[in-house]
Amino acid sequence: MNPTLPLHGNFTDTSMEMEQTKSLLPSTNTNGCHTHKSTNDRNNGNSSFCTSVFNLSNNVAGVGLLTLAAGKAAGGTGWVPSIAICCSLAYASSHTFILIGKACEITGEKTFKGLWSQAFGDRTAYVVDTIVCVQCFLGGTIYIGLLGDIFLALLKGASFGVDIGIDMLPPGVVSRQGVILLITSSILFPLNLIKNLSSLGFTSILGLCAVLYTTSFIVLRALDGSYSTDGKFVADGAIDTPSFDSSTMWNLDVKSLILMSNLGVAFIAHYNAPTYYRELRKASPQTFPRMVRTSYAILFAIYVITMCAGYMTFGDTAQCNILLNYHPHDMLAFLGRWATACSTLFGFPLVFNGAREGFKNAAMALDQPSVSDPKNHVKLVVVMLSCACMLAILVDDIKVIVGYSGAVLGSLLVYICPPILYANILKRYFGPESLEYKRGRRNLILVPFGTSIAVVGVIVNYRQNYGLDSSSSVEGG
């Protein structure tokens, strides 16, 4: 089975569609459909093209890139299919991101929730709030698990061979659970009490620096031979010896959906698409698609380089957090863990704020306004953070959450919701018999594609996590 085939040859040219749609926006209602808001004064954002590319690339790139080598290893996916899958999903993700921008162009809406209300009505607005809440909550849980893994590795490798008394600490402290509880209570909890998150804006630069440094040192270690069978970091037996028994050039099977699920997390930022459209200076049918495609091309390059370099170094032993594979006394890896840890620590409130606001908005839509009462802010932070912390402890391997959230929520937010939302808006604004709607509904081909990825991805991840045998490959290497 080649899951990437439906992504080619079925999309109309997005820039052309945006231009045609914009030129056909009527000022009055001539067919019983919704009237359109003026397009003249909508696109007054202050973000330049280059700034928007930087912000979008930085927003999407994150901890997801650390999981890709493991996704390739777990599925036994060959080199060529792995790169092809990454390329195809980058293109599909950018396309659906652009569809949301086109919907903003038509409706004049500035939020994902506003677009949802235009497409499905105000009475279902709680649905999109719930989806965003769950996605951000699970993203925050992944962050907590990642922090537990990284700080535990930092603690064990901090001495660089010198006895500094770590062995004298209680076993509960020098454990993943102990580290998670300590970090959550002492750092994450105070950070999440902050209501004005503008002071954490510096994390954008910090995150970019962490991504670039991590990618650079992963590539360097893949090329310098220090993790080869007789390399200096493998000889002492402190880490698993890299294995390449499953390495092939062309192998592709159902288990490749594990890599696709990981990419579902790595490419997602679609609920922020209206923000990027609104903030882009002089957004037009040409500039917004070009900005999005440029950003996703950069992401594709970073992801492919990191995935290939990580697998070249560790092969089938690659862990879901690739930083855990490196030797505790590898200084470059030590600095990479610190960079990623700091970026994740200060980026966590921004992610978890999305979960908290989504929960409050959904509760408000369901006639539970007390949840949004400022008096309950601390209680809400305590409850949600405790739940995320417990989930991160109970699920001791972040690949489980990454796999399931990528398969289900990644497919829902990236491949299923945007085409349906866009088609419904076209239908309501132009009518079911209009050329715009007939052209736009071609994008609905992504819905069965996304549904298939979600269903089969959950099954494959379940079988992988419980050690069950999966189906045979299409072609061996």
Side-chain angles (χ1 to χ4, degrees), residues 191-450:
L191 284 175
N192 277 270
L193 292 178
I194 300 174
K195 294 183 179 180
N196 184 1
L197 299 179
S198 60
S199 59
L200 298 177
F202 70 92
T203 59
S204 179
I205 298 296
L206 184 60
L208 177 65
C209 293
V211 167
L212 293 179
Y213 175 80
T214 302
T215 302
S216 299
F217 102 76
I218 288 176
V219 171
L220 177 61
R221 287 303 187 223
L223 299 176
D224 68 5
S226 56
Y227 284 90
S228 60
T229 305
D230 55 350
K232 64 179 181 179
F233 290 122
V234 178
D236 63 0
I239 63 172
D240 293 334
T241 302
S243 170
F244 299 91
D245 293 340
S246 299
S247 178
T248 68
M249 184 62 69
W250 297 99
N251 187 65
L252 179 67
D253 61 21
V254 175
K255 290 189 292 184
S256 298
L257 283 168
I258 297 173
L259 175 60
M260 298 180 73
S261 296
N262 290 6
L263 286 166
V265 174
F267 280 130
I268 191 171
H270 289 56
Y271 44 81
N272 287 330
T275 300
Y276 287 100
Y277 182 83
R278 181 178 71 244
E279 293 180 353
L280 178 61
R281 185 185 305 155
K282 296 181 180 179
S284 72
Q286 292 78 34
T287 56
F288 185 74
R290 188 166 69 250
M291 184 274 291
V292 173
R293 289 181 181 132
T294 301
S295 302
Y296 273 84
I298 294 171
L299 290 166
F300 164 73
I302 293 174
Y303 288 169
V304 166
I305 291 171
T306 305
M307 175 183 67
C308 292
Y311 189 83
M312 283 175 60
T313 307
F314 301 108
D316 306 329
T317 64
Q319 299 184 49
C320 193
N321 178 0
I322 193 68
L323 294 177
L324 301 183
N325 279 99
Y326 291 93
H327 196 283
H329 300 162
D330 183 345
M331 178 58 76
L332 294 183
F334 181 81
L335 296 176
R337 293 183 186 115
W338 264 114
T340 302
C342 292
S343 172
T344 304
L345 270 177
F346 293 106
F348 178 86
L350 302 175
V351 174
F352 216 64
N353 181 68
R356 191 167 61 250
E357 292 303 312
F359 184 79
K360 289 161 63 175
N361 291 336
M364 184 73 72
L366 295 173
D367 296 324
Q368 298 294 329
S370 61
V371 175
S372 299
D373 192 327
K375 297 179 181 178
N376 295 323
H377 177 70
V378 175
K379 295 179 182 177
L380 186 59
V381 170
V382 170
V383 171
M384 295 188 68
L385 196 57
S386 298
C387 292
C389 180
M390 290 301 103
L391 182 58
I393 289 175
L394 291 173
V395 183
D396 59 1
D397 193 338
I398 63 171
K399 75 176 181 182
V400 176
I401 303 177
V402 170
Y404 288 126
S405 63
V408 178
L409 293 174
S411 297
L412 184 63
L413 286 170
V414 177
Y415 310 119
I416 298 176
C417 283
I420 296 177
L421 183 148
Y422 178 62
N424 276 17
I425 286 176
L426 289 177
K427 185 177 181 179
R428 295 185 70 180
Y429 274 77
F430 294 98
E433 301 301 323
S434 65
L435 178 62
E436 291 78 21
Y437 173 67
K438 292 179 180 178
R439 184 189 300 118
R441 69 183 180 185
R442 298 173 189 171
N443 296 289
L444 293 175
I445 193 172
L446 280 172
V447 175
F449 170 74

Side-chain angles (χ1 to χ4, degrees), residues 62-125:
V63 298
L65 67 88
L66 302 177
T67 71
L68 300 182
K72 171 176 163 46
T77 309
W79 289 98
V80 174
S82 295
I83 296 174
I85 288 172
C86 190
C87 178
S88 298
L89 296 190
Y91 177 79
S93 299
S94 67
H95 179 81
T96 55
F97 199 99
I98 293 169
L99 289 183
I100 299 174
K102 293 169 63 179
C104 292
E105 173 70 34
I106 295 170
T107 63
E109 293 290 344
K110 298 180 179 180
T111 65
F112 196 81
K113 184 176 181 178
L115 290 177
W116 185 280
S117 297
Q118 289 279 353
F120 304 107
D122 293 332
R123 300 181 66 179
T124 63

Side-chain angles (χ1 to χ4, degrees), residues 43-56:
N43 305 324
N44 296 319
N46 297 318
S47 182
S48 67
F49 181 89
C50 292
T51 301
S52 295
V53 168
F54 167 80
N55 288 335
L56 178 55

